[in-house]
């Protein structure tokens, strides 16, 4: 049951990232914090990597560095794909290399957390 729940959350989160990054939401209030969108990208890919990493662990009761590295790579390429789609398929969004950097930092932070938890057998 937990495995299905985590899988559903991981798929839902993956879809939510695309929606929030590609869809224009009209006249939402602007958040006036410098670099706020970078924090969002960090969180998107931190949670993405945590959910998919936890699901991988639940599925096989182990989490190898190779498997976890593959999840990080998928997260990074997914972020790059979203940036490409923003640039080519939307008129209200544009690609930003700093968003890719924030995605990378979020995914790598989750990688380190998952390695730590895996070593401590907390996941």
């Amino acid at each position: 049951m937990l495995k299905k729940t985590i899988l559903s959350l991981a798929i839902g989160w993956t879809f939510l990232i695309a929606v929030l990054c590609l869809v224009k939401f009209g006249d939402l209030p602007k958040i006036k914090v410098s670099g706020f969108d970078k924090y969002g990208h960090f969180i998107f890919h931190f949670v993405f990597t945590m959910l998919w990493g936890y699901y991988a662990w639940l599925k096989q009761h182990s989490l190898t560095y190779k498997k976890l590295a593959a999840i990080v790579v998928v997260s990074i390429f997914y972020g790059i794909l979203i940036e490409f789609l923003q640039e080519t398929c939307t008129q209200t969004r544009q690609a930003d290399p700093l968003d890719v950097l924030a995605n990378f930092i979020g995914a790598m932070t989750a990688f380190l957390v998952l390695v730590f938890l895996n070593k401590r057998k907390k996941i």
Side-chain angles (χ1 to χ4, degrees):
M1 181 69 168
L2 179 60
K3 190 176 4 174
K4 288 182 181 181
T5 301
I6 297 300
L7 177 60
S8 296
L9 287 171
I11 292 169
W13 188 259
T14 302
F15 180 72
L16 181 66
I17 291 172
V19 169
L20 292 176
C21 290
L22 296 173
V23 174
K24 182 180 178 189
F25 289 99
D27 295 325
L28 291 177
K30 301 285 183 209
I31 299 173
K32 295 178 183 173
V33 174
S34 178
F36 177 77
D37 66 318
K38 305 309 177 249
Y39 296 114
H41 283 270
F42 173 91
I43 291 167
F44 287 162
H45 290 271
F46 177 84
V47 173
F48 178 98
T49 304
M50 291 295 293
L51 286 171
W52 285 109
Y54 187 47
Y55 173 71
W57 182 84
L58 286 172
K59 190 173 179 185
Q60 297 179 343
H61 296 290
S62 69
L63 190 58
T64 64
Y65 288 117
K66 185 177 179 179
K67 188 176 295 183
L68 188 50
I71 293 167
V72 169
V73 168
V74 168
S75 177
I76 293 164
F77 277 111
Y78 185 59
I80 291 169
L81 173 64
I82 294 292
E83 292 299 314
F84 175 78
L85 292 173
Q86 283 180 335
E87 188 68 34
T88 59
C89 298
T90 71
Q91 294 181 359
T92 58
R93 308 276 178 119
Q94 48 190 304
D96 184 352
L98 292 178
D99 289 348
V100 175
L101 179 62
N103 299 344
F104 173 78
I105 293 170
M108 289 305 297
T109 302
F111 174 87
L112 294 173
V113 169
L114 287 166
V115 166
F116 175 78
L117 293 174
N118 195 38
K119 284 186 182 229
R120 299 251 189 247
K121 305 295 182 207
K122 300 284 185 185
I123 60 169

